[in-house]
Amino acid sequence: MENQFSWTQQWYPLSPISYLDPAEPTPVNLLGKKLVIWRDNNQNWVVMDDACPHKLALLSLGKINADGNLICRHHGWCFNNEGKCTEIPMLVGNQGEETACKSLLSQVTTYPTKVAQNLLWVWTDHSVTPFADCTAQQPATIAETELDIDAIDWYMTGICFEAPVGYTVSLESSLDPSHAQFLHEGIGSFSPEKTVPIQQFENIGETTSQGGFTLKHSGYNRKDSCLS
Ligand code: FES
């Protein structure tokens, strides 16, 4: 169907850049898919499947070598920022290594990435042309006229704890700030005693072609108004 929503042909904010250590690979799970984030020698962030094509070891357990390639911890196969196998230590210097490295079977699927508003975004499609397709869309960033982006401390709950709920429940909850003082009592500054009735709650601006929207609401915790 022509206008059917594609879950994979989208830019997803994968992680705040401040959460990432450029010297170490970072595992992350997005929409049930295990991915690894790492940075090459050109300071480009790379996102690829977190599975070595040799024996499926987690590449996030590996390390980044002096050439800026990712080494699998299990048998040392090496992968560049395009997911191409560049070295197989047990075959170094012979025809077997060249043949194995050229094989599609030794490659790791990589995904387009982009940095915007201090977040790392990923395009999770693994069709034939994701690097061309992703240029037709831009990440759904926040209008910079609304906020001082550099002043934002991004907070990613999934890194701090596992919430055993479906993403639709979680998303719906984020549009329901009136729960915070009660459900999160004792976490941070949340407390029923600090409850302030929400006076303003409205959809502002345009709804994007992908259904994105911006809600503005007044404070509920003796704070100023904020955006969701
Ligand atoms: S499983 Fe990765 S090199 Fe063997």
Side-chain angles (χ1 to χ4, degrees):
M1 226 183 294
E2 200 170 289
N3 292 323
Q4 196 168 24
F5 182 84
S6 167
W7 285 97
T8 57
Q9 294 186 328
Q10 308 291 334
W11 285 107
Y12 289 94
L14 194 56
S15 170
I17 294 295
S18 61
Y19 279 47
L20 301 173
D21 180 351
E24 299 286 343
T26 303
V28 67
N29 196 320
L30 178 68
L31 298 176
K33 185 192 283 277
K34 286 182 178 174
L35 302 170
V36 55
I37 306 169
W38 55 284
R39 201 172 78 164
D40 69 15
N41 273 1
N42 295 317
Q43 280 71 58
N44 293 318
W45 291 103
V46 182
V47 174
M48 55 174 50
D49 284 341
D50 193 6
C52 177
H54 181 213
K55 292 182 76 176
L56 302 180
L58 293 173
L59 289 170
S60 54
L61 295 175
K63 58 186 179 184
I64 301 162
N65 70 9
D67 295 330
N69 292 334
L70 182 61
I71 307 175
C72 178
R73 190 185 183 100
H74 203 170
H75 309 92
W77 287 28
C78 217
F79 302 93
N80 68 13
N81 57 9
E82 296 176 336
K84 185 176 183 315
C85 184
T86 57
E87 190 178 331
I88 299 177
M90 285 292 163
L91 293 175
V92 163
N94 67 35
Q95 188 65 34
E97 182 186 35
E98 193 180 329
T99 303
C101 286
K102 277 184 181 165
S103 168
L104 289 178
L105 296 175
S106 68
Q107 296 206 10
V108 186
T109 299
T110 61
Y111 303 91
T113 62
K114 189 184 279 270
V115 174
Q117 296 188 336
N118 302 321
L119 295 169
L120 176 66
W121 300 71
V122 65
W123 179 271
T124 54
D125 193 40
H126 56 269
S127 63
V128 185
T129 55
F131 287 86
D133 298 344
C134 71
T135 60
Q137 277 188 40
Q138 294 301 317
T141 51
I142 301 170
E144 304 216 3
T145 52
E146 298 284 349
L147 294 169
D148 178 1
I149 297 301
D150 288 331
I152 292 178
D153 266 343
W154 292 108
Y155 177 65
M156 203 159 111
T157 56
I159 294 228
C160 302
F161 62 88
E162 293 285 333
V165 297
Y167 76 91
T168 50
V169 174
S170 179
L171 182 61
E172 191 273 341
S173 192
S174 71
L175 301 178
D176 166 28
S178 61
H179 75 270
Q181 316 295 43
F182 302 91
L183 187 64
H184 304 310
E185 181 180 6
I187 300 174
S189 63
F190 292 125
S191 161
E193 284 73 47
K194 293 183 178 176
T195 299
V196 174
I198 298 172
Q199 302 289 348
Q200 179 203 17
F201 197 90
E202 62 179 318
N203 185 1
I204 60 171
E206 302 282 323
T207 300
T208 71
S209 59
Q210 298 160 286
F213 57 89
T214 303
L215 276 181
K216 185 171 187 177
H217 58 77
S218 56
Y220 51 86
N221 188 26
R222 295 184 197 161
K223 286 182 181 173
D224 294 328
S225 62
C226 52
L227 296 171
S228 291

